[in-house]
Structure formats: C-alpha cells, structure tokens
Amino acid sequence: MVQGDDFYAYNCTFVGNRAGEEGGAAYTETTPGAGFVNCLFVDNSAADGGALSMRGIQKVESSTFYRNFASSHGGALYLRDYSGYDIQGCILWGNKAADGGEVYADSGANWTFRQCAIEGDLNGTKFSGTVCGDGNGNKREDPRFVRAWDPDGPDNAYGTSDDGLKLANGSPCLDSGIWGAGQNLDDVLVQDISGAQRIIGQQSDMGAYEGG
C-alpha cells in the first residue's frame, strides 16, 4: 500500500502479485498524487483492482495491463470514490473480473481516458460503475500483441526484447500514444520497458513497449 506523499513508479514490472482485498500489484491512497509510467502489469489478482486500486489524484501513462484478475471489481483498475484520474496511452486487454473486467469506477470518481486501447470499448461491456470521461483517441481494436500466449517471451523474462506483449506490425496501437516526435522527454522516459528507444515514428506507441 502507498499512502501519504507523492509516489511515482517508472519502468516497473508487476507480475504475479496477489492481494486479499485491494490492488494485486499496488493499492495507492495518496495526497496529492501518485503515478505509474511505462509500467507492465501481468497476472496480478485481488478482490478489487486486480492490478491497481487507486484513491487520490492519480495518473497512469504508457502502461500495459494484461491478464489481471479481480474476484469482485475491476480486473485491471479499481478507481475509488472522491478521486481524480488521468489514464493516458495505456493498453488494457485480457483482464477479467466479476464486475468491470477492465475497469470499475466508484460513483464519486472523476476520471478520463485518453489515447488508450481498451477491450470492450470505453463504457462498454468490460467497464462498470460511473461514466468515464472520453479524452479522445481511444481505441477498441485488438492491440495485436506479438505473442499474447507467451507474454514474457522465449527467455521467460519480462522487460526484454523478446517479450510477447510487444506490438506486431499493423497494430492499431502503433504511433497512437501520447508523446510526439521531437518532444523532450525526461531521462526515465526515453526508453520503453524493454530498453528500446521510445518514439521510433512520429508518435509514441500505446502501452509499455515501443514497436514490435
């Protein structure tokens, strides 16, 4: 659990974590904020928020959520009440829950998705709770992972060049992220989760990986 001051995680991998109640990978309750950037969440589970359960002023950018599970609410994300959220450039795909397979948002949550790929579509079959904010550029097409059945690749290690959650040629998530070519990025953002150059084309790709 993260509680209190600002907290930001960059280029982190959260795999196979379990929580009995909230946030399989992390439960954040912070003031004024917390954020996850260029992160990977795979096979985490909890009752609420298979990957993340969040309250406070939060942001999640250029991260990939895959195959997380919640027995109650929010397979990938559980967005708590009286909070503000900005979810940008992320891929949420293949997550499951009893209610809100990808996202569950409490009625008091104020949240916006922008330039994300979301299975079930924004406010679709895998969303539940309050209506979200559409920040434009969101997609519902399959992101077309290189090898979704083998997310950590032949070397069985996440965050390396052979990861199966990289994007295949022709993916709708290519050149659809939040950072543009020529943009000055912080040092922690110039590479993707695998160490590859971030922004190969005119725009960054959605999710934690750049290109296939």
Side-chain angles (χ1 to χ4, degrees), residues 8-28:
Y8 286 91
Y10 295 91
N11 304 319
C12 294
T13 300
F14 301 87
V15 177
N17 300 288
R18 304 286 184 269
E21 296 183 5
E22 293 192 44
Y27 168 41
T28 64

Side-chain angles (χ1 to χ4, degrees), residues 96-203:
K96 296 181 179 180
D99 193 5
E102 298 297 336
V103 178
Y104 184 91
D106 281 342
S107 60
N110 179 16
W111 46 291
T112 298
F113 281 78
R114 181 168 68 88
Q115 290 168 259
C116 293
I118 307 159
E119 185 177 7
D121 202 7
L122 210 62
N123 298 317
T125 57
K126 299 186 75 174
F127 274 73
S128 190
T130 190
V131 174
C132 77
D134 185 352
N136 299 319
N138 297 299
K139 299 176 181 289
R140 61 181 178 182
E141 296 92 344
D142 189 323
R144 294 183 60 185
F145 297 126
V146 172
R147 289 180 305 277
W149 62 91
D150 185 18
D152 57 0
D155 66 358
N156 297 317
Y158 285 98
T160 58
S161 60
D162 70 350
D163 285 4
L165 295 181
K166 299 183 77 172
L167 300 172
N169 291 335
S171 167
C173 297
L174 295 172
D175 292 328
S176 298
I178 59 174
W179 298 310
Q183 185 172 346
N184 291 324
L185 299 178
D186 293 340
D187 290 344
V188 293
L189 301 178
V190 296
Q191 295 179 330
D192 72 1
I193 192 73
S194 71
Q197 176 184 334
R198 184 57 101 169
I199 309 181
I200 297 174
Q202 293 301 308
Q203 198 168 344

